[in-house]
Structure formats: structure tokens, C-alpha cells
Amino acid sequence: MTSCTDPSSPGTRPSLWRHRAWSDVTEYRVPSTRSRTSEVVLGCLRSVSVAGADLFGARHAAFEDEARALPDELAAGGSLVEETVFTVLLARRPGGAQ
């Protein structure tokens, strides 16, 4: 399964959790390498509202052609490789409160 989520979204920041009742926050960072095809990259683009087909009207096909060109060029017939860090936040309330 491929995720298209933004790792910088507010829910992923430990500092925000610490300001709430979850003061005992541990962050685990796991380096990861993943490969994606150009088609998967384009699929992620399709999943965000700013790239919705209805926003482009008659130009949508041209937009998708342009959006596909760069990943296709960079992948050179293969996959695009992304070096990333998978972050897990483990949050607990102090004193075992629920």
C-alpha cells in the first residue's frame, strides 16, 4: 500500500502532543527507502483537491500529460526512489491517566 500523506501535517508533530494531556511523548524515526512508479506519483497528485479534474476543465488532459512528464523522465522507465523517514509517535498521559 502506498501512502500519499504529508509527514509535516500538524498531527505528526510531537510538540503539539506535549502541549495537551499527552506529556509523555516518544518519537521513533525509522529510515526507509521506497520506490514508486510514475503512475503511483500521478495517482497521489490526483488524490489532492488542488489537482482535481473539475478544476482544470478542458485542460485536464494537458495538465496530466505535463504532470506525468517529469516523473517519467526521472524514472527513465523504472521507478522513482524516495529516501524518507517513517516517524512513529507513542504518546502516554502522565501517571497512566486515561
Side-chain angles (χ1 to χ4, degrees):
M1 184 164 111
T2 300
S3 171
C4 302
T5 58
D6 179 3
S8 65
S9 68
T12 62
R13 294 189 203 133
S15 60
L16 292 178
W17 287 91
R18 287 187 186 103
H19 292 295
R20 295 183 174 96
W22 308 93
S23 62
D24 183 8
V25 180
T26 305
E27 179 177 332
Y28 299 92
R29 299 175 61 81
V30 182
S32 174
T33 302
R34 61 182 165 189
S35 296
R36 297 182 187 200
T37 64
S38 296
E39 197 58 40
V40 169
V41 171
L42 189 58
C44 287
L45 181 61
R46 288 180 188 131
S47 73
V48 295
S49 60
V50 297
D54 55 323
L55 297 176
F56 293 89
R59 253 196 52 67
H60 187 256
F63 166 76
E64 284 214 351
D65 289 343
E66 287 180 47
R68 183 188 319 265
L70 182 59
D72 281 349
E73 180 182 323
L74 294 173
S79 293
L80 296 161
V81 177
E82 177 183 13
E83 300 290 333
T84 189
V85 175
F86 181 73
T87 303
V88 176
L89 296 178
L90 185 59
R92 294 183 184 90
R93 294 178 186 214
Q98 295 187 8

